[in-house]
């Protein structure tokens, strides 16, 4: 009997040696051991001695190296070609649009070598994406507390070291000569951290569990309070729209979320209404025909530009003319102005397909923490993508929320990194047991 057990262990060791996904070794051993036990039981029911039944079971399980190679094919890394193709296409559209702005913008209000600069951003973003693709996302759950603290530190550094802007805010910090919007990047880090914090094993003790639930809720609210105090309402809205659904999906506490939603919406509306320049900006966005200057004027220019674009567009000669910052906030408008509504329709299809592709990966991943990460990061990118498209209506209030992957700036670093994280989770979808959770800090 001991000899048969040793043979089984050697068999399992040989099988697992062929499977590179070490996270699956324990599950493979359990599954094959169960299959071995079933075969032994069947043989024993036929009256065979136990040692003979065990030798028969080992023989019936097949060549261990062949079995291991088959299991490796099942549990090998997967490359998300669809998402990778989407990122490449969006990057190509970005460079094409930058070339159009350089060729057609007649005023000296754009950075020198715009397309070259954006190429550098994209190349560095691809490096960040590659790094996140190969990182083990399970390690992020163990480090979720540090990631959360890092996001808080980024905001503190920005407020302390960043130069004061025209509106009195401090957002940008120069790193290696590049201005980084640390506050704009912080929502990504917060939601990644929260997914890990909330997915850690719950405390079994009733009192401890209740205390933990309130700590989790305070961790949810702290970034929102900070964004209000800065103030940074674009990041506040994006953060809440992502963090609250994530909190519901993980904790199932609907009542608290509804209280936060009602309080947040009421507070934002009252604040905007009490600030004359903010209320005028939002009103002007809808009644822009009655406004000569300001936000309403920009919305009128947007609608006029899109109306005159036609299906074929104006080509490179008129790209960006009449628009303010055509390479950043209004970049989607420039694309339609240049390539027409035919190009705009392709952009719409590409963006919607990209969003649906990201959400589809959540269904393909069995690991619960991986699904929550995909949900959070996908929602974060989707909100920004859909807002960029909504500007084309000419009725949206304009805020500093760049179009992901397309518009000019260092924001592409965090967006490429987010895409790399999604790809990395999908890459390991068959390499980890369902619901596997690492130990918490």
């Amino acid at each position: 009997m001991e000899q048969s057990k040793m043979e089984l262990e050697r068999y399992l060791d040989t099988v697992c040696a062929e499977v590179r996904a070490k996270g699956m070794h324990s599950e493979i051993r359990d599954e094959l051991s169960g299959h071995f036990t079933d075969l032994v039981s069947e043989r024993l029911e036929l009256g065979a001695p136990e040692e003979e039944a065990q030798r028969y079971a080992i023989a019936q399980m097949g060549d261990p190296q062949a079995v291991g190679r088959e299991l490796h094919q099942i549990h090998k890394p997967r490359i998300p070609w669809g998402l990778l193709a989407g990122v490449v296409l969006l990057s190509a559209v970005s460079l094409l649009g930058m070339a159009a702005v350089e060729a057609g913008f007649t005023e000296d209000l754009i950075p020198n070598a715009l397309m070259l600069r954006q190429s550098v951003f994209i190349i560095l973003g691809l490096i960040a994406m590659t790094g996140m693709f190969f990182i083990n996302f399970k390690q992020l759950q163990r480090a979720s507390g540090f990631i959360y603290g890092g996001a808080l530190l980024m905001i503190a550094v920005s407020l302390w070291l960043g130069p004061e802007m025209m509106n009195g805010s401090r957002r940008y910090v120069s790193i290696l000569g590049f201005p980084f919007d640390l506050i704009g990047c912080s929502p990504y880090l917060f939601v990644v951290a929260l997914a890990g914090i909330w997915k850690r094993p719950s405390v079994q003790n009733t009192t401890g569990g209740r205390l933990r639930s309130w700590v989790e809720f305070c961790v949810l609210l702290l970034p929102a309070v900070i964004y209000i105090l800065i103030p940074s309402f674009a990041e506040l809205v994006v953060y809440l729209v992502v963090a609250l659904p994530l909190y519901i999906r993980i904790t199932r506490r609907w009542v608290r979320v509804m209280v936060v939603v009602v309080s947040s919406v009421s507070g934002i509306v009252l604040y905007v209404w009490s600030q004359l320049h903010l209320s005028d900006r939002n009103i002007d966005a809808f009644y822009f025909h009655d406004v000569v200057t300001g936000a309403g004027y920009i919305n009128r220019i947007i609608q006029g530009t899109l109306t005159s674009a036609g299906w074929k567009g104006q080509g490179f000669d008129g790209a960006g003319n009449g628009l303010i910052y055509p390479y950043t906030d209004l970049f989607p408008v420039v694309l339609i102005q240049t390539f027409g509504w035919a190009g705009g329709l392709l952009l719409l299809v590409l963006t919607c397909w990209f969003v649906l592709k990201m959400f589809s990966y959540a269904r393909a991943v069995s690991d619960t923490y991986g699904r929550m990460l995909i949900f959070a990061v996908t929602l974060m990118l989707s909100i920004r993508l859909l807002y960029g498209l909504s500007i084309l209506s000419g009725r949206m209030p304009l805020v500093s929320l760049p179009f992901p992957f397309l518009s000019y700036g260092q924001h592409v670093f965090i967006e490429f990194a987010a895409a790399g994280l999604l790809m990395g989770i999908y890459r390991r979808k068959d390499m980890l047991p369902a619901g596997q959770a690492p130990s918490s800090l």
Side-chain angles (χ1 to χ4, degrees):
M1 185 173 177
E2 291 297 327
Q3 182 69 24
S4 298
K5 287 184 177 179
M6 292 176 61
E7 289 182 10
L8 176 61
E9 288 300 317
R10 283 197 296 268
Y11 182 92
L12 296 176
D13 290 341
T14 304
V15 170
C16 290
E18 299 292 331
V19 182
R20 288 191 226 170
K22 294 182 179 180
M24 294 301 301
H25 285 186
S26 177
E27 187 170 292
I28 289 172
R29 297 180 79 94
D30 290 342
E31 182 180 349
L32 292 178
S33 296
H35 184 48
F36 171 81
T37 302
D38 292 339
L39 290 172
V40 170
S41 299
E42 291 175 6
R43 200 65 176 174
L44 289 174
E45 290 176 0
L46 297 175
E50 186 170 351
E51 289 190 9
E52 179 186 331
Q54 291 174 348
R55 287 195 297 270
Y56 168 81
I58 289 287
Q60 290 298 308
M61 290 172 68
D63 177 64
Q65 289 184 321
V67 172
R69 287 192 291 269
E70 290 178 6
L71 289 172
H72 174 69
Q73 291 300 314
I74 295 173
H75 299 294
K76 70 178 182 179
R78 308 292 176 182
I79 299 178
W81 293 109
L83 189 60
L84 180 61
V87 171
V88 171
L89 287 173
L90 288 172
S91 301
V93 172
S94 175
L95 294 178
L96 188 61
M98 295 303 163
V101 173
E102 275 194 304
F105 202 72
T106 56
E107 300 180 36
D108 188 21
L109 294 175
I110 64 173
N112 293 327
L114 186 65
M115 183 179 176
L116 178 61
R117 288 170 177 260
Q118 185 70 351
S119 299
V120 173
F121 286 138
I122 289 175
I123 291 172
L124 294 177
L126 289 171
I127 294 174
M129 184 178 74
T130 303
M132 293 303 296
F133 177 72
F134 287 106
I135 195 173
N136 186 350
F137 74 92
K138 302 297 288 187
Q139 302 299 325
L140 296 179
Q141 186 172 10
R142 299 188 182 98
S144 54
F146 296 109
I147 296 173
Y148 187 90
L152 294 176
L153 181 62
M154 284 172 54
I155 295 176
V157 169
S158 181
L159 297 177
W160 180 36
L161 298 179
E164 187 170 332
M165 300 173 65
M166 291 180 61
N167 58 3
S169 65
R170 297 178 182 270
R171 298 181 64 95
Y172 293 92
V173 174
S174 180
I175 301 177
L176 299 177
F178 293 101
F180 277 82
D181 182 3
L182 298 184
I183 293 177
C185 295
S186 61
Y188 287 93
L189 297 183
F190 278 129
V191 297
V192 168
L194 291 176
I197 292 171
W198 292 335
K199 283 303 296 178
R200 288 177 179 173
S202 299
V203 179
Q204 298 299 318
N205 179 271
T206 304
T207 303
R210 193 176 297 121
L211 175 62
R212 175 187 171 86
S213 70
W214 281 106
V215 170
E216 291 173 344
F217 190 61
C218 292
V219 168
L220 164 68
L221 293 181
L222 179 59
V225 173
I226 292 174
Y227 289 137
I228 291 173
L229 295 177
I230 290 176
S232 182
F233 290 107
E235 279 70 32
L236 171 64
V237 173
V238 169
Y239 170 75
L240 289 177
V241 171
V242 178
L244 293 178
L246 181 65
Y247 183 76
I248 291 175
R249 290 196 63 172
I250 295 177
T251 66
R252 306 297 180 185
R253 296 187 177 99
W254 291 84
V255 176
R256 292 182 186 177
V257 170
M258 292 308 299
V259 171
V260 173
V261 169
V262 173
S263 302
S264 301
V265 172
S266 302
I268 292 174
V269 169
L270 290 174
Y271 180 83
V272 170
W273 195 257
S274 65
Q275 302 294 317
L276 184 61
H277 69 285
L278 293 178
S279 60
D280 286 347
R281 175 182 293 183
N282 287 276
I283 293 173
D284 292 349
F286 290 95
Y287 300 100
F288 55 80
H289 290 295
D290 301 328
V291 181
V292 178
T293 60
Y297 170 76
I298 298 175
N299 284 87
R300 187 165 68 248
I301 293 297
I302 291 173
Q303 191 170 83
T305 300
L306 297 177
T307 302
S308 61
W311 279 103
K312 296 182 179 180
Q314 300 176 8
F316 280 32
D317 292 339
N321 283 331
L323 298 174
I324 300 175
Y325 300 116
Y327 52 94
T328 54
D329 296 348
L330 302 185
F331 190 68
V333 181
V334 172
L335 292 176
I336 293 182
Q337 182 187 37
T338 305
F339 304 105
W341 279 105
L345 184 60
L346 291 176
L347 176 63
L348 174 64
V349 171
L350 174 60
T351 302
C352 293
W353 173 80
F354 188 74
V355 169
L356 293 175
K357 198 68 179 176
M358 288 191 293
F359 276 111
S360 70
Y361 288 150
R363 296 194 299 271
V365 174
S366 59
D367 181 84
T368 52
Y369 172 60
R371 285 202 305 271
M372 292 302 103
L373 270 184
I374 290 179
F375 174 78
V377 176
T378 297
L379 198 55
M380 179 70 70
L381 289 172
S382 299
I383 290 169
R384 296 168 181 265
L385 286 166
L386 296 177
Y387 172 77
L389 291 178
S390 70
I391 290 178
L392 299 176
S393 68
R395 299 281 182 175
M396 285 297 293
L398 300 177
V399 297
S400 297
L401 206 62
F403 199 111
F405 305 103
L406 289 184
S407 59
Y408 173 82
Q410 46 71 35
H411 59 88
V412 297
F413 293 135
I414 191 72
E415 292 153 6
F416 273 87
L421 177 59
L422 294 184
M423 295 180 192
I425 297 171
Y426 183 85
R427 175 177 179 264
R428 290 175 171 82
K429 74 183 186 70
D430 296 322
M431 299 171 64
L432 291 170
Q436 186 192 70
S439 58
S440 58
L441 287 171

